[in-house]
Amino acid sequence: MPPSAAKPPVPPPSPTPAPSPVPPSARSSAEERKKRRLALIGGSLGNLVEWYDWFVYASFAIYFADSFFPGDNPTTQLMNTAGIFAVGFLMRPVGGWILGRAADRHGRKSALTLTVTMMSVAALLIAVAPTYGQAGYFGALVLLLARLLQGLSIGGEYAASATYLTEASARDRRGLGSSFQYVSMTCGQLLGLGILITMQHTLTTDQLESWGWRIPFLLGALFAVVVFWLRRRLQETDAFREEAASAGAHDDSARGTLKALWQYRRQAGLVMALTLGGTVAYYTYTTYLTKYLVGSAGMEKTTATLVSFTALTLFAVLQPFAGMLSDRIGRRPLLITFAVGCTVGTYPIMTALGSASSYWSALGLSVLALVIVTGYTSINAAVKAELFPTRVRALGVALPYAIANALFGGTAEYVALWFKSSGRESMFFWYVSGCALVSLVTYVLMPDTRDVALTRAEAGAEAGDGAGAAAGDEADAGRPGGGPGQDRPATAPAESAR
């Protein structure tokens, strides 16, 4: 056999190229996006449960009204339950003051955790409240106490979530981020309505009026436990951490106090005025809509509930799109569009709804009304937060908003039922239009807040390489309570609004 041929040497394997390191900027960007997503989810889900508990009272009132207030007149029973609903709003300014101060002094995260705990306790109280037949008016007293606790909680929840969602969003997406406040609020109501529809198809009317109405309140208490755990895992916003870190450089004893808020009393007045029309319109076309369709249009309860559910679903979907639009064109165009539409459109829409004879006609009119209201709901949280500096932002949003809600939002349903019982129901439509007109004047005169910087980092990026931060210290040194390290960004819109 011939000798075997020599094998050529096998070349050594080519070294595997080392993976390219991820640039620090890319890692930082990815981490930042993840943090913002978690903040959005945590703030939204907590807000959802809070407002589920709040709105479920209104959704199920038609079933438990006679359990606490006996009588033969359904309108009188609803007026009594609506009165307790309105009383809850009277606690909002107190809750806004206490919890707004806590959010400004101890952080947005701690305030958010506290509010959801309080709401859970309130829901549980309603779920176990004895009826008139069991304990006389003691059950109504328990109901009243629970609503007062809910009002206290919601008074702080709105400001804490509005501030948190706005501060946790990127500067060019604050309209989008803050729009999820009303997405979550509406989804909370949809959850309540969804449970109501399910129960309407699985339980008889007698069962719903006897014990079925307690189920959603028990579920609300359980949901809150989950959200409590979630909110404890949230991170504090950069704006608040920046403010807290600079506390040693200036006197922060006034942070989150009424004395500090008084320096921005003009901005507080703006919050009340811009809230007036929006809150009346929102509660008219959401919590009151089902009762109006049943009591005035003569629609079946199940049909009216389905109309509300479908319209609110579409309404929730619209919010992020309107928020994104405000990030491109500004806040004022959307606010003005809402106010004009509500001022001139409320009377014809409500009149037509009062004579709606079918599901589709009622749905079309309801959606039209809620499209108009979207101009306010999608961006109002961002607008209010952008008016104040970090050290009083939560209190500045909470207190004036809560006062406006206590005076107008919480009483809207009661005013509507009062006009109805007096035989002048159409006067309520003009009332809603008048409130929107006041807000329209405010929107026309107020500055647009879209480009406001909420942190010194944003101001520095805008001015370039720290110049904005230096300018911020300089500006703060010249105003009451200011000094090095004080957050400059929101002082710009605040001062310009004066």
Side-chain angles (χ1 to χ4, degrees):
M1 294 181 63
S4 57
K7 296 182 179 180
V10 179
S14 302
T16 303
S20 301
V22 179
S25 59
R27 287 198 303 269
S28 176
S29 178
E31 291 172 358
E32 186 68 19
R33 287 195 300 270
K34 181 180 179 181
K35 185 179 74 171
R36 294 188 193 281
R37 283 196 299 268
L38 289 174
L40 186 63
I41 293 171
S44 297
L45 286 182
N47 205 32
L48 183 152
V49 174
E50 290 269 8
W51 288 90
Y52 161 83
D53 284 337
W54 182 261
F55 281 115
V56 84
Y57 180 97
S59 299
F60 279 82
I62 54 179
Y63 291 106
F64 67 73
D66 62 347
S67 294
F68 297 99
F69 303 101
D72 298 327
N73 190 330
T75 299
T76 301
Q77 292 173 343
L78 283 177
M79 286 183 68
N80 286 327
T81 54
I84 289 184
F85 184 79
V87 165
F89 280 82
L90 297 180
M91 288 299 292
R92 283 191 174 195
V94 180
W97 169 52
I98 295 175
L99 297 172
R101 174 185 171 90
D104 283 331
R105 296 190 67 82
H106 305 293
R108 317 323 188 192
K109 174 184 171 181
S110 62
L112 287 170
T113 304
L114 179 58
T115 59
V116 77
T117 303
M118 296 167 63
M119 185 61 75
S120 177
V121 173
L124 191 59
L125 281 175
I126 297 176
V128 301
T131 64
Y132 179 85
Q134 295 170 331
Y137 283 110
F138 178 74
L141 178 61
V142 173
L143 194 66
L144 175 62
L145 291 175
R147 290 299 297 172
L148 291 175
L149 186 58
Q150 283 185 328
L152 192 70
S153 172
I154 287 292
E157 168 66 21
Y158 175 87
S161 64
T163 303
Y164 187 84
L165 289 172
T166 302
E167 290 181 348
S169 300
R171 185 177 184 180
D172 59 349
R173 294 188 178 183
R174 288 201 298 254
L176 172 62
S178 66
S179 72
F180 279 88
Q181 185 182 50
Y182 268 82
V183 171
S184 58
M185 286 171 61
T186 305
C187 285
Q189 186 173 2
L190 286 173
L191 181 59
L193 286 172
I195 291 174
L196 175 59
I197 292 173
T198 301
M199 295 177 66
Q200 284 174 335
H201 287 83
T202 56
L203 299 177
T204 66
T205 300
D206 288 341
Q207 289 173 326
L208 280 169
E209 293 177 347
S210 176
W211 53 267
W213 61 267
R214 298 181 186 273
I215 294 176
F217 294 103
L218 287 172
L219 291 175
L222 292 176
F223 294 156
V225 174
V226 177
V227 177
F228 175 83
W229 172 82
L230 178 64
R231 283 189 163 176
R232 285 183 62 86
R233 298 170 62 87
L234 293 177
Q235 295 186 29
E236 191 54 80
T237 65
D238 291 341
F240 181 80
R241 284 201 299 263
E242 179 184 273
E243 172 68 19
S246 64
H250 62 275
D251 180 17
D252 72 331
S253 60
R255 189 173 69 188
T257 63
L258 294 176
K259 178 180 178 181
L261 181 60
W262 182 249
Q263 299 176 40
Y264 301 95
R265 53 192 176 275
R266 180 177 177 82
Q267 289 70 39
L270 283 176
V271 170
M272 291 185 65
L274 68 90
T275 298
L276 170 59
T279 189
V280 171
Y282 179 74
Y283 283 102
T284 297
Y285 293 114
T286 54
T287 59
Y288 179 61
L289 179 63
T290 302
K291 300 179 184 65
Y292 181 69
L293 291 175
V294 172
S296 298
M299 193 170 288
E300 292 292 328
K301 291 180 180 178
T302 52
T303 304
T305 301
L306 187 59
V307 168
S308 295
F309 185 88
T310 309
L312 286 171
T313 300
L314 296 174
F315 174 70
V317 172
L318 282 175
Q319 303 307 299
F321 294 101
M324 286 189 290
L325 181 62
S326 78
D327 286 328
R328 295 181 62 87
I329 68 174
R331 320 294 191 217
R332 289 176 69 246
L334 272 71
L335 292 172
I336 292 173
T337 299
F338 149 71
V340 171
C342 191
T343 300
V344 303
T346 296
Y347 188 89
I349 290 175
M350 291 296 288
T351 301
L353 276 171
S355 59
S357 57
S358 69
Y359 164 81
W360 290 108
S361 61
L363 176 62
L365 291 166
S366 300
V367 170
L368 174 61
L370 289 174
V371 168
I372 294 173
V373 174
T374 294
Y376 166 80
T377 55
S378 60
I379 59 172
N380 80 97
V383 173
K384 294 165 188 173
E386 289 165 345
L387 285 171
F388 297 95
T390 304
R391 68 182 184 279
V392 292
R393 184 168 296 133
L395 181 61
V397 173
L399 189 56
Y401 167 81
I403 292 173
N405 259 272
L407 295 176
F408 302 102
T411 59
E413 183 178 326
Y414 195 83
V415 170
L417 291 172
W418 182 84
F419 277 123
K420 177 179 173 61
S421 66
S422 63
R424 296 176 295 173
E425 188 170 33
S426 62
M427 291 299 296
F428 175 68
F429 312 156
W430 292 115
Y431 170 78
V432 177
S433 295
C435 292
L437 181 60
V438 173
S439 290
L440 174 59
V441 175
T442 304
Y443 302 152
V444 171
L445 297 178
M446 71 180 290
D448 200 301
T449 60
R450 179 191 61 175
D451 297 325
V452 171
L454 297 186
T455 65
R456 294 178 64 223
E458 290 179 353
E462 184 179 82
D465 294 333
D473 288 339
E474 201 173 70
D476 283 325
R479 62 177 173 82
Q486 194 83 323
D487 70 301
R488 168 190 179 271
T491 62
E495 296 300 331
S496 67
R498 293 176 185 234

